[in-house]
Amino acid sequence: ASANNRTLLLDALRSQGSIVLESGHFNTILKNPFIPYRVEVTRKCPHSIEESVADFDIQLACIAAEYSKGMVVGAYIHSGVANCISCKEVRVVSRLCPMRYSLRTLERLTRYGEELGFRVCEQSRRRVWDIYTAASEEERQDLLEAAGLQREDV
């Protein structure tokens, strides 16, 4: 994967009618009028397809495809994706690690649930909040700032 491949993929998606909804620190989110969900294209350009999803937070987001010369040459689907789909539930990955943007996962859980018509796993929500409660006061403030939240919001 390379930055050039990422650009080619974004160009191909736009040429098929997708529009960029958001371009953030971690990914670019696109919406195509012909499909009922968003597509997220990561900014990471790892050496392997598995590395591209290694630190993702939500199981349903852990789907990746590798393109070369206009063809899919590799794919990766997290082992929990099929179960999430059959149970119609949005869950965090089992190896959820504390990071500066952990509280943003709460918004993503809710958004995925709404977009897909799935419920959000309450244990997943609790695991995210556990990261916050285990943090020091300084780390909590950083978590809140990264998520665009105030202490009154929690």
Side-chain angles (χ1 to χ4, degrees):
S2 69
N4 185 51
N5 288 343
R6 181 181 189 281
T7 300
L8 291 171
L9 177 57
L10 289 170
D11 289 347
L13 291 168
R14 283 191 288 262
S15 74
Q16 295 171 2
S18 294
I19 57 167
V20 174
L21 297 177
E22 181 181 328
S23 190
H25 182 72
F26 297 107
N27 58 27
T28 300
I29 300 172
L30 300 102
K31 177 72 173 100
N32 186 299
F34 304 109
I35 56 176
Y37 47 84
R38 300 175 189 204
V39 174
E40 296 182 24
V41 178
T42 185
R43 290 196 178 279
K44 292 169 46 175
C45 296
H47 295 291
S48 74
I49 198 165
E50 291 83 8
E51 285 179 50
S52 68
V53 297
D55 59 0
F56 282 16
D57 54 352
I58 296 176
Q59 289 182 17
L60 289 167
C62 295
I63 299 173
E66 186 174 6
Y67 293 87
S68 179
K69 299 178 182 165
M71 299 178 63
V72 175
V73 295
Y76 174 85
I77 299 175
H78 184 280
S79 60
V81 169
N83 192 262
C84 287
I85 293 170
S86 66
C87 294
K88 295 191 173 206
E89 188 169 67
V90 184
R91 301 177 190 144
V92 296
V93 294
S94 59
R95 57 176 170 37
L96 185 66
C97 298
M99 61 171 53
R100 183 169 194 265
Y101 296 94
S102 291
L103 291 182
R104 286 194 169 190
T105 298
L106 295 169
E107 181 273 329
R108 288 171 42 81
L109 284 166
T110 301
R111 180 167 43 90
Y112 274 54
E114 289 171 355
E115 288 179 1
L116 298 170
F118 288 10
R119 69 181 169 277
V120 174
C121 172
E122 285 307 313
Q123 182 181 5
S124 289
R125 262 193 234 277
R126 280 193 302 277
R127 288 186 55 218
V128 175
W129 280 115
D130 287 348
I131 291 171
Y132 177 79
T133 56
S136 69
E137 280 301 315
E138 184 177 315
E139 291 168 329
R140 284 182 182 185
Q141 187 57 41
D142 192 44
L143 287 164
L144 290 170
E145 286 176 14
L149 299 171
Q150 301 295 319
R151 189 167 300 279
E152 309 81 58
D153 298 329
V154 295

